[in-house]
Amino acid sequence: MATVMDWLPWSLLLLSLTYDTRAFYVPGVAPINFHQNDPVEIKAVKLTSSRTQLPYEYYSLPFCQPSKITYKAENLGEVLRGDRIVNTPFQVLMNSEKKCEVLCSQSSKPVTLTVEQSRLVAERITEDYYVHLIADNLPVATRLELYSNREGDDKKKEKDVQFEHGYRLGFTDVNKIYLHNHLSFILYYHREDLEEDQEHTYRVVRFEVIPQSIRLEDIKADEKSSCTLPEGTNSSPQEIDPSKENQLYFTYSVHWEESDIKWASRWDTYLTMSDVQIHWFSIINSVVVVFFLSGILSMIIIRTLRKDIANYNKEDDIEDTMEESGWKLVHGDVFRPPQYPMILSSLLGSGIQLFCMILIVIFVAMLGMLSPSSRGALMTTACFLFMFMGVFGGFSAGRLYRTLKGHRWKKGAFCTATLYPGVVFGICFVLNCFIWGKHSSGAVPFPTMVALLCMWFGISLPLVYLGYYFGFRKQPYDNPVRTNQIPRQIPEQRWYMNRFVGILMAGILPFGAMFIELFFIFSAIWENQFYYLFGFLFLVFIILVVSCSQISIVMVYFQLCAEDYRWWWRNFLVSGGSAFYVLVYAIFYFVNKLDIVEFIPSLLYFGYTALMVLSFWLLTGTIGFYAAYMFVRKIYAAVKID
């Protein structure tokens, strides 16, 4: 936990950071200078598959092991991601070539996989597992050269170079399973400019691999761990028969190339996406949606609402005004406290907590301080910020609870601190039990779970109580009209004023403003891709806030015009309507984009998706609720009430 505690002061410093970030170094990502023949350590991170969504440790498979296995101390985010960074027996020296080297200690003898090991390796290959290695904190990538679809001669066609995160464990062909047992490492270095008397230093700027499958008979090994590979494409691949023992060599080669890429730009290869134009299309699409909503709002507020207020404030035609229907007639009931005010204020408090956490995390990531080079930084920062934002969530929930005539503030504070986090922890614990049963590295260890519980009850809960206490003591929100003692009868509502219809109507536009960005976020989460376009994400988040606020105001205006004053819960539910479309999109993504067929991976997908939908509903519902609340107070303050 020492690494986790190192993030504590850093997370607080993020709040006060503004413009100058050039002198800022995320802990653990300062450049390392290598001299000629210095060892460059190759470490393994994990094995992943988008088909099973279950990461595994590197040595869960019978790979060659060093004499002493050493695991790197991980931060909270790495543990939650399932990373288990460990040393490997690869011997790589800076700017030193290796044509072919046998990995395991008894170099002249091949490795024998037992029937059980062979079955496990074959199972992992058929499940499309990828192996993830790092060198100087840089992840290994497989180069993919794709021909662009352009007219002209085939010879003149340009190749589009893309990089695949990690390398495939193996492949299948005609019901036979083959293992990639030879790795050709290609490392790129940048030579640093120094004075004449100083020795040259090098920095690693790219780490590529070409995995190959070469059968045992085609590899010639000697006693000195050297080997000879077959020339050309004459060799056959190394088959893994899951029904018997298999003999093979694990080999590797190292090739170095000089590069003009500087150390500060070495992650650009991994983070550069070929679909930036799609992101710009997403932003333009979102802006059009917001302008469309703004037009509707302008029409309502400038024309209809002003006309309403002018008519209501006429002193000459009091009798005509009383005969009219509209939102003024419910002025004596519009601020009547709803049912279950404690639960409503608790959910809104958790929504404020989420809103503050997400806003800070996206903004700081946009400034470049939560780079993928600092593994687990994003998740670690998000966890700590959610804990610390409890003071704001508690304050807003306490003040709203008092406004709604609540008086049991201690019970309300406990509800705010435990309702949403309790649901999240409960679902995660159940899913974690299934992951434990699969012996996956994605299972959160018991000590980490205890540490999270200590953070919840030791940091978040006291801060929520503190904020709730001061919020409850503060003057409640000043409502502009008094509430009648006897509730007004609500007229029969038309079909389109149904709550579910309202959710469908209110959710479509905010979802349309962000669904393209949602595709890239889902790809990063479920298909092991990098996501680093936080500038786009920040713009989409701002657009989402504006569109949710606008659609919420429109919906509450129509509801009050229909003389239905029960808007508190309804507005919260309807404002979060886009979460329903996120759920529908998640089901569509599961069916069309992922190749998951087993029960436990499907359970994990829908379990974590349910948490995402719940959090998104709380976030958008809270944004819409407070926008509508300010709107309602504003319009009733503008009319004369006798």
Side-chain angles (χ1 to χ4, degrees):
M1 289 297 294
T3 312
V4 175
M5 295 309 295
D6 289 340
W7 284 96
L8 204 57
W10 183 70
S11 300
L12 294 172
L13 282 173
L14 297 180
L15 303 177
S16 59
L17 200 61
T18 50
Y19 300 103
D20 190 13
T21 60
R22 290 170 295 174
F24 186 86
Y25 279 100
V26 179
V29 294
I32 298 176
N33 293 321
F34 295 92
H35 294 94
Q36 181 74 30
N37 293 328
D38 277 357
V40 179
E41 194 172 7
I42 307 292
K43 294 182 179 180
V45 181
K46 58 182 173 182
L47 311 170
T48 63
S49 168
S50 59
R51 289 188 63 185
T52 68
Q53 300 299 330
L54 291 167
Y56 286 95
E57 289 189 34
Y58 180 71
Y59 291 122
S60 63
L61 293 182
F63 291 120
C64 294
Q65 299 181 1
S67 55
K68 183 181 179 183
I69 295 178
T70 307
Y71 284 90
K72 171 186 170 290
E74 286 136 351
N75 59 41
L76 180 62
E78 287 175 317
V79 173
L80 296 178
R81 280 162 40 100
D83 294 356
R84 301 292 184 268
I85 300 175
V86 65
N87 60 328
T88 61
F90 296 108
Q91 301 292 326
V92 177
L93 303 178
M94 172 54 70
N95 205 15
S96 177
E97 304 270 330
K98 281 190 178 182
K99 290 186 177 180
C100 182
E101 197 86 10
V102 179
L103 261 185
C104 295
S105 55
Q106 297 178 342
S107 55
S108 58
K109 296 181 181 179
V111 176
T112 301
L113 302 183
T114 64
V115 177
E116 186 179 346
Q117 289 175 332
S118 301
R119 191 182 299 116
L120 182 63
V121 170
E123 183 183 337
R124 295 283 185 267
I125 293 173
T126 54
E127 289 172 342
D128 288 339
Y129 266 86
Y130 283 74
V131 183
H132 299 278
L133 306 174
I134 54 174
D136 187 29
N137 201 37
L138 209 58
V140 73
T142 306
R143 180 190 290 258
L144 299 176
E145 294 184 345
L146 306 172
Y147 286 101
S148 57
N149 296 324
R150 293 173 185 166
E151 297 179 359
D153 298 335
D154 291 342
K155 295 181 181 178
K156 294 182 180 180
K157 280 189 176 181
E158 296 183 15
K159 292 180 180 179
D160 289 335
V161 178
Q162 296 182 7
F163 289 92
E164 199 171 48
H165 190 28
Y167 70 89
R168 289 180 182 269
L169 180 62
F171 61 96
T172 57
D173 186 22
V174 197
N175 295 325
K176 290 188 177 181
I177 300 168
Y178 302 99
L179 173 69
H180 285 138
N181 59 323
H182 177 79
L183 301 178
S184 299
F185 293 130
I186 305 172
L187 291 105
Y188 294 78
Y189 65 87
H190 181 74
R191 193 193 301 263
E192 295 299 303
D193 296 329
L194 297 173
E195 298 178 5
E196 294 182 2
D197 299 337
Q198 291 181 310
E199 185 182 354
H200 278 293
T201 58
Y202 309 90
R203 291 178 179 175
V204 179
V205 293
R206 191 187 294 176
F207 182 26
E208 293 180 21
V209 66
I210 302 175
Q212 293 173 268
S213 182
I214 306 173
R215 68 177 180 178
L216 174 69
E217 293 77 12
D218 294 335
I219 298 177
K220 298 176 182 178
D222 58 25
E223 297 290 337
K224 297 181 180 179
S225 298
S226 297
C227 55
T228 306
L229 299 177
E231 296 182 0
T233 58
N234 300 326
S235 66
S236 300
Q238 174 64 52
E239 183 184 353
I240 300 294
D241 190 340
S243 61
K244 65 178 185 180
E245 291 186 348
N246 291 271
Q247 288 192 325
L248 69 152
Y249 282 117
F250 284 107
T251 58
Y252 70 103
S253 60
V254 181
H255 175 62
W256 288 90
E257 288 190 19
E258 188 168 2
S259 173
D260 294 331
I261 300 172
K262 293 189 177 181
W263 185 89
S265 306
R266 66 178 189 161
W267 275 86
D268 292 356
T269 303
Y270 302 88
L271 304 179
T272 300
M273 302 180 75
S274 58
D275 35 34
V276 174
Q277 289 182 345
I278 298 177
H279 280 266
W280 279 117
F281 171 76
S282 170
I283 297 294
I284 294 169
N285 171 60
S286 304
V287 170
V288 168
V289 169
V290 170
F291 274 119
F292 176 70
L293 277 172
S294 300
I296 297 176
L297 263 183
S298 301
M299 184 178 66
I300 291 173
I301 292 173
I302 295 174
R303 297 183 61 186
T304 315
L305 198 57
R306 281 189 177 179
K307 184 180 178 182
D308 287 348
I309 293 172
N311 287 336
Y312 289 148
N313 288 340
K314 280 182 181 178
E315 296 181 359
D316 299 336
D317 304 322
I318 297 176
E319 293 180 2
D320 294 341
T321 305
M322 293 301 292
E323 292 175 3
E324 289 182 6
S325 62
W327 51 267
K328 184 184 176 183
L329 299 185
V330 294
H331 68 85
D333 298 275
V334 71
F335 294 110
R336 186 179 302 282
Q339 287 185 311
Y340 314 114
M342 184 184 295
I343 297 176
L344 178 62
S345 59
S346 298
L347 292 174
L348 290 166
S350 297
I352 291 290
Q353 202 171 346
L354 272 173
F355 176 80
C356 295
M357 181 267 287
I358 292 172
L359 180 65
I360 295 171
V361 166
I362 295 178
F363 181 72
V364 171
M366 183 184 68
L367 297 180
M369 284 171 285
L370 296 179
S371 165
S373 61
S374 183
R375 299 178 184 281
L378 189 70
M379 196 169 290
T380 305
T381 307
C383 287
F384 274 104
L385 277 175
F386 182 78
M387 302 292 175
F388 287 117
M389 293 303 109
V391 67
F392 297 107
F395 181 86
S396 58
R399 191 174 184 193
L400 182 65
Y401 183 57
R402 186 176 181 187
T403 305
L404 299 178
K405 312 300 182 190
H407 53 85
R408 294 179 294 177
W409 76 269
K410 292 180 182 177
K411 189 175 179 181
F414 182 77
C415 186
T416 305
T418 56
L419 186 59
Y420 168 71
V423 171
V424 172
F425 188 84
I427 294 176
C428 289
F429 181 78
V430 172
L431 296 177
N432 205 49
C433 292
F434 285 99
I435 303 173
W436 263 332
K438 287 295 222 177
H439 306 288
S440 167
S441 65
V444 179
F446 185 73
T448 306
M449 196 167 289
V450 172
L452 286 170
L453 279 172
C454 291
M455 287 167 58
W456 178 13
F457 289 106
I459 299 176
S460 181
L461 191 139
L463 287 176
V464 169
Y465 262 88
L466 181 69
Y468 209 99
Y469 173 75
F470 284 104
F472 192 77
R473 286 188 62 186
K474 193 173 177 62
Q475 190 73 18
Y477 293 112
D478 183 27
N479 295 326
V481 291
R482 291 196 303 267
T483 302
N484 296 335
Q485 290 185 348
I486 302 174
R488 181 187 179 88
Q489 188 174 358
I490 299 171
E492 186 178 350
Q493 300 293 304
R494 300 202 176 249
W495 66 269
Y496 53 80
M497 295 304 295
N498 181 274
R499 185 175 298 174
F500 188 70
V501 175
I503 289 173
L504 293 178
M505 291 170 58
I508 188 68
L509 288 175
F511 176 77
M514 47 85 66
F515 85 96
I516 294 178
E517 206 66 28
L518 193 65
F519 168 77
F520 294 105
I521 294 172
F522 268 63
S523 299
I525 294 173
W526 302 114
E527 298 188 48
N528 296 307
Q529 297 181 11
F530 285 118
Y531 183 89
Y532 197 58
L533 295 176
F534 288 103
F536 285 108
L537 187 60
F538 185 76
L539 288 174
V540 170
F541 182 72
I542 298 300
I543 291 169
L544 179 68
V545 170
V546 174
S547 59
C548 280
S549 303
Q550 292 177 336
I551 200 70
S552 172
I553 291 171
V554 172
M555 296 303 289
V556 79
Y557 176 77
F558 288 148
Q559 183 182 348
L560 294 178
C561 285
E563 298 178 26
D564 184 357
Y565 54 82
R566 300 170 300 181
W567 65 274
W568 301 88
W569 272 106
R570 179 190 170 94
N571 187 258
F572 180 57
L573 294 171
V574 167
S575 299
S578 50
F580 172 76
Y581 290 97
V582 173
L583 177 62
V584 172
Y585 179 79
I587 297 171
F588 168 81
Y589 190 88
F590 177 83
V591 173
N592 288 277
K593 298 292 183 181
L594 297 179
D595 189 21
I596 297 176
V597 290
E598 295 181 16
F599 170 71
I600 290 182
S602 303
L603 182 69
L604 292 178
Y605 178 85
F606 285 106
Y608 289 130
T609 298
L611 290 180
M612 291 168 57
V613 170
L614 173 64
S615 303
F616 191 75
W617 171 66
L618 276 180
L619 176 70
T620 51
T622 302
I623 293 167
F625 175 86
Y626 277 102
Y629 190 30
M630 287 189 287
F631 171 76
V632 171
R633 290 173 61 198
K634 197 79 174 173
I635 62 173
Y636 281 99
V639 296
K640 297 176 183 177
I641 306 295
D642 294 332

